[in-house]
Amino acid sequence: MTDRLVDANRTYASDFTDPGMDARPVLHVAVVACMDARLDLHKALGLQLGDCHTIRNAGGVVTDDVIRSLTISQRKLGTRSIVLIHHTGCGLEALTEDFRTELEMEVGQRPAWAVESFRDVDQDVRQSMQRVRTSPFLQHTDDVRGFVFDVRTGLLREIDPA
């Protein structure tokens, strides 16, 4: 499978032209989203190369590492807005913290990280917004918005932070 990706890159690179951009996103926005393969964020949000920073992980969870990336994005690369995107039918809804115990039983070591599973996607988006808004490391927390992407319709539904 990796060879297929490397071959695709050769094709891509054969027509590639340096766009002359730097690492600062044109729209001054960072998007935090789930890694789910059904989310084509650039198409779904009408974004072009260079428009935003994209940070993805299982569940779109605002972890310490996401805060690290957002802090660098804001303080060194000029972003001011943060968009959080979770989605319907997320695999984290079916997991529990028991997953960590299963891993410990299998490999002999308990992961240091939390699974961050959830049952209510709207509430999880609210929690993510709260984590971002209360981080002492982020300078710009006045434009933090959270959404749920519907994997069946492609539409975003905004979540009220209250």
Side-chain angles (χ1 to χ4, degrees):
M1 177 41 81
T2 303
D3 287 339
R4 177 178 161 215
L5 301 176
V6 172
D7 289 343
N9 173 256
R10 285 189 194 101
T11 302
Y12 170 79
S14 69
D15 294 326
F16 184 79
T17 316
D18 179 1
M21 301 177 195
D22 66 15
R24 295 177 177 274
V26 173
L27 299 179
H28 307 286
V29 65
V31 177
V32 178
C34 185
M35 66 185 192
D36 192 295
R38 296 171 290 180
L39 278 68
D40 186 342
L41 292 175
H42 275 74
K43 282 186 182 177
L45 302 175
L47 296 169
Q48 300 298 315
L49 182 67
D51 281 349
C52 74
H53 283 156
T54 305
I55 304 160
R56 295 181 79 158
N57 65 26
V61 175
V62 177
T63 60
D64 287 345
D65 192 59
V66 168
I67 294 294
R68 177 187 72 87
S69 293
L70 289 171
T71 300
I72 293 166
S73 178
Q74 285 191 351
R75 292 179 176 264
K76 297 300 179 185
L77 297 167
T79 60
R80 298 187 62 86
S81 300
I82 299 172
V83 175
L84 306 171
I85 301 177
H86 289 36
H87 66 92
T88 58
C90 185
L92 284 186
E93 291 174 296
L95 286 178
T96 67
E97 287 299 318
D98 290 342
F99 180 61
R100 294 173 69 217
T101 303
E102 293 168 15
L103 287 172
E104 181 179 18
M105 298 296 285
E106 180 182 329
V107 303
Q109 181 178 344
R110 188 172 187 82
W113 40 262
V115 174
E116 297 276 358
S117 60
F118 57 90
R119 297 281 177 249
D120 181 339
V121 68
D122 290 21
Q123 183 55 36
D124 201 58
V125 172
R126 284 187 199 93
Q127 175 179 293
S128 295
M129 285 189 280
Q130 185 64 17
R131 285 180 179 175
V132 168
R133 287 189 173 129
T134 59
S135 172
F137 306 110
L138 298 174
Q139 294 175 306
H140 308 289
T141 58
D142 54 319
D143 188 13
V144 177
R145 294 172 66 185
F147 300 86
V148 173
F149 177 87
D150 188 314
V151 297
R152 294 180 189 263
T153 67
L155 290 173
L156 290 175
R157 179 173 49 81
E158 188 158 10
I159 302 301
D160 184 347

